[in-house]
Amino acid sequence: MAQKGFTIQNGVLKKYNGSGGAVVIPEEVTAIGEDAFWGCNSLTSVVIPKGVTVIGPEAFRHCERLASVTIPEGVVEIGNMAFLGCEALEAITLPQSLERLGSQVFPYCNKLTSAVIPEKIRRIEDRLFGGCLKLQSVTLPKKLKSIGDCAFSGCESLCTLDIPETVKEIGSDAFSDCTKLSQLHIPAGVTKIANGTFSSCHSLSHITIPEGVTEIGERAFFECLGLTSITIPASVTTIEREAFSASDNLARIEIAAGNPRFKVENGLVLSADGKTVEFCTPGLSGLCEIPQGVRNIAWYAFFLCQKLTGVLIPPSVTTIGAGAFWGCSKLASLALPPKMKKIGAYFCLDCKNLREVTLPPALTSIGTESFAGTALETVTIPATVTTMKARAFQGCHLRRAVLQGELKLSGQILGKAPFELIAGEIPFSQLPQAYRVCGVLGFAACYQEEQPLGEEYREECLQYIKGQRKKLYPLALKHPALLSVMVSEKLIPREDMEDLLQQAAKLKRAELNAMLLEYQSRAFGAIDPDLELEKELQREKKRQQKLLKEGGLPDAGE
């Protein structure tokens, strides 16, 4: 039946289509159906009668002006997303009769400041309070067993939370982005700290990982800026990648005695046998020396270690994982060990101060974006390299790249042109079109430095320069070595000189003008000053006529 905007069937409120405001639900209702009030933006308050036992999924979803709700004793279940997006909801009292509280019930209730969870609840479901920006306090039931994924994610005002000792499980990202959370007790029964559990808890300054925890997940303590030290208990046998990454002030990690899997040396967490660097203490500063005997450096081992200025790698190291030095923003130079054969993807990505890298002589492959975003200006690729993946040196602003072998280039694998590409083992005609100009600049540099070049390569380069000279003139004026080649090999014809001299004059670089005038005199004979004056007068006349036509000069009669 319909009653003042209510559609009720067998005691279930199916839909509300009233005018909103302060609403009192009829006494005959025993359950509020799925999405009954969804999107009712005019609703400001609601009183639920005592006979109701169930509030269905999404019942009040996106009632953006709903400020208060009276939920009576007798309600045993509140469904998934029941109050999601109720941005004006400031407070809510949950009845002690409540036995099940669904997932995502209160996300983005941005004015909600506190909540008391009834004692019959045994699990905090996924994203229960996700994104509740002003939530400051939550009281959990004494016999709670588990906390779901993202349960309190993004609760920026939550400073502390008492978790009962009965809790055995805390889900992924449960407290991620709780930026004011300063301390929290992990119950003794918890055996796993899941992925991202405390990620971006910037204020977390102290936390104890209890004995009994066996696994610390990916990014579990990522960007916990308040942490300065932490002790990993003997029971932990698995620490996933990036577990503590970007926690810039975490300068000391201790491993409890008796741990069979890990040990600490020189600020590095190593495998118990000392053969693998698992990860670096993220707050370690200055120069890091990897111990002799280490053979492997794990994936992302130094990820976002932003205080490191250098890493000494012993010759015993043979493999270094992908992303190993990603984001080490102060790392200035890196010498890779001689037996290393592969550089993985994102190896030194965004190491923005990395200006020097020594590649090993046995290297065979360079991965995707391995040195992208670095400050490298020169790089020498060993002849042993047969594979180089996309964007390997993108954004590096290279000045010179030397290819010692016959590596096949494609796309923008070495970054944006132009730079000097010296690839004597690759026929010039086989260079990708995008790198022909780079090849020309590399040839010009070798020509000027009197480095030996194959005759065939030399002839191909000169033929290309001659055929593309007009397109190359602006580049040659910026790279005098190329202009020197054009002059020395007499590749500039008489008819190009006038325009080229004008371009050089605009740059106001005396050495360019001198080089071109000397070439003109040598190649085409002495300059007739009267003829040059006549040409200059003609150019000036044309300029004046153009300005007059465009209104740039006053008319002679004015």
Side-chain angles (χ1 to χ4, degrees):
M1 63 176 289
Q3 180 183 333
K4 297 180 181 178
F6 297 100
T7 300
I8 303 170
Q9 294 179 4
N10 299 322
V12 178
L13 174 54
K14 292 290 187 178
K15 197 67 181 175
Y16 173 74
N17 293 307
S19 58
V23 171
V24 178
I25 296 175
E27 292 292 333
E28 66 192 270
V29 171
T30 58
I32 299 173
E34 185 173 351
D35 63 45
F37 289 84
W38 186 355
C40 184
N41 289 332
S42 59
L43 186 66
T44 58
S45 68
V46 64
V47 176
I48 300 171
K50 291 182 179 180
V52 171
T53 58
V54 175
I55 299 174
E58 304 177 90
F60 297 93
R61 181 173 181 173
H62 288 306
C63 293
E64 295 177 357
R65 296 182 183 176
L66 181 62
S68 69
V69 180
T70 302
I71 303 176
E73 287 294 333
V75 172
V76 297
E77 179 179 346
I78 299 178
N80 299 344
M81 298 182 278
F83 295 94
L84 185 149
C86 292
E87 297 178 1
L89 191 61
E90 296 180 2
I92 192 164
T93 301
L94 300 174
Q96 288 301 314
S97 58
L98 196 62
E99 297 177 1
R100 183 182 181 277
L101 195 54
S103 65
Q104 304 184 65
V105 173
F106 300 108
Y108 311 113
C109 292
N110 291 335
K111 290 190 177 181
L112 191 64
T113 59
S114 64
V116 177
I117 309 299
E119 288 298 327
K120 291 182 180 180
I121 299 297
R122 295 292 178 265
R123 173 175 170 80
I124 301 298
E125 296 291 348
D126 297 349
R127 296 195 64 82
L128 181 64
F129 293 101
C132 291
L133 301 180
K134 293 188 178 180
L135 187 66
Q136 297 177 14
S137 69
V138 178
T139 302
L140 300 177
K142 295 176 182 178
K143 295 183 180 180
L144 189 69
K145 293 182 178 179
S146 63
I147 297 174
D149 295 346
C150 304
F152 298 93
S153 178
C155 293
E156 295 179 355
S157 300
L158 189 66
C159 295
T160 185
L161 184 69
D162 292 328
I163 300 179
E165 284 297 326
T166 53
V167 169
K168 306 291 184 185
E169 178 186 353
I170 300 175
S172 299
D173 292 286
F175 299 96
S176 63
D177 295 301
C178 290
T179 54
K180 290 186 179 179
L181 187 67
S182 59
Q183 57 184 357
L184 187 137
H185 169 71
I186 302 175
V190 172
T191 59
K192 177 182 178 180
I193 299 176
N195 295 351
T197 299
F198 300 102
S199 175
S200 297
C201 289
H202 296 163
S203 301
L204 190 64
S205 59
H206 177 77
I207 195 161
T208 300
I209 302 174
E211 183 66 38
V213 169
T214 60
E215 180 179 347
I216 300 174
E218 284 186 28
R219 298 195 168 208
F221 294 93
F222 183 86
E223 205 177 31
C224 288
L225 302 179
L227 281 180
T228 57
S229 66
I230 198 164
T231 299
I232 296 171
S235 56
V236 172
T237 55
T238 300
I239 302 175
E240 298 290 355
R241 69 184 189 189
E242 303 172 49
F244 299 94
S245 294
S247 296
D248 293 345
N249 298 307
L250 182 56
R252 189 172 81 254
I253 294 177
E254 296 181 359
I255 305 291
N259 188 296
R261 178 68 178 80
F262 304 106
K263 68 177 183 178
V264 175
E265 188 174 342
N266 294 357
L268 300 170
V269 175
L270 308 177
S271 58
D273 61 8
K275 293 181 180 179
T276 300
V277 174
E278 302 290 352
F279 63 93
C280 176
T281 302
L284 196 65
S285 61
L287 181 66
C288 173
E289 185 172 354
I290 296 175
Q292 294 290 334
V294 168
R295 296 181 183 178
N296 312 300
I297 298 175
W299 285 31
Y300 301 93
F302 293 85
F303 180 60
L304 291 178
C305 289
Q306 299 187 71
K307 295 182 179 181
L308 286 181
T309 57
V311 179
L312 296 180
I313 306 174
S316 57
V317 171
T318 58
T319 61
I320 302 178
F325 300 97
W326 184 350
C328 294
S329 58
K330 291 186 178 179
L331 190 64
S333 64
L334 192 65
L336 299 179
K339 295 180 182 179
M340 183 179 174
K341 293 185 177 181
K342 294 183 179 182
I343 292 176
Y346 319 121
F347 187 72
C348 286
L349 177 65
D350 290 335
C351 292
K352 60 185 180 181
N353 282 305
L354 184 65
R355 289 178 169 79
E356 182 181 351
V357 64
T358 303
L359 300 181
L363 191 67
T364 60
S365 66
I366 299 174
T368 302
E369 296 185 30
S370 49
F371 294 97
T374 65
L376 288 175
E377 294 185 347
T378 63
V379 63
T380 299
I381 310 297
T384 50
V385 173
T386 57
T387 303
M388 188 154 60
K389 296 294 182 69
R391 304 178 300 281
F393 293 89
Q394 179 175 283
C396 290
H397 306 293
L398 286 174
R399 289 192 302 104
R400 174 176 291 191
V402 180
L403 304 186
Q404 295 180 332
E406 300 180 5
L407 177 67
K408 184 178 180 180
L409 297 175
S410 61
Q412 293 291 317
I413 203 167
L414 285 171
K416 190 176 180 180
F419 56 84
E420 297 172 0
L421 175 60
I422 300 173
E425 298 300 318
I426 305 173
F428 184 84
S429 58
Q430 292 184 18
L431 290 178
Q433 196 66 38
Y435 288 120
R436 294 282 176 88
V437 168
C438 298
V440 164
L441 291 178
F443 166 75
C446 292
Y447 188 102
Q448 188 177 51
E449 296 166 9
E450 298 183 353
Q451 294 185 29
L453 291 166
E455 188 60 32
E456 183 178 351
Y457 189 86
R458 182 181 187 279
E459 289 303 317
E460 283 186 339
C461 285
L462 292 174
Q463 190 65 33
Y464 180 84
I465 294 170
K466 184 177 181 180
Q468 300 292 321
R469 67 181 188 278
K470 289 193 175 182
K471 291 182 179 179
L472 292 173
Y473 285 153
L475 190 67
L477 292 174
K478 293 180 181 178
H479 297 266
L482 178 55
L483 186 62
S484 179
V485 170
M486 290 179 165
V487 165
S488 299
E489 296 294 330
K490 298 182 179 181
L491 300 179
I492 306 172
R494 182 193 296 269
E495 60 267 23
D496 291 354
M497 285 303 302
E498 181 179 342
D499 183 56
L500 192 54
L501 281 165
Q502 288 182 33
Q503 291 182 49
K506 289 178 183 179
L507 296 175
K508 298 180 179 180
R509 293 176 61 180
E511 74 276 14
L512 298 179
N513 283 315
M515 187 187 303
L516 288 169
L517 289 172
E518 190 278 332
Y519 169 72
Q520 186 178 51
S521 176
R522 176 168 49 84
F524 309 120
I527 299 172
D528 184 340
D530 293 334
L531 180 61
E532 288 301 310
L533 178 60
E534 180 63 27
K535 288 181 179 179
E536 181 60 33
L537 289 172
Q538 288 295 327
R539 285 196 293 267
E540 181 62 22
K541 183 178 180 180
K542 288 180 180 179
R543 189 180 74 83
Q544 295 285 348
Q545 288 174 344
K546 182 179 180 183
L547 287 172
L548 183 62
K549 185 177 180 180
E550 295 174 351
L553 288 175
D555 194 298
E558 292 183 0

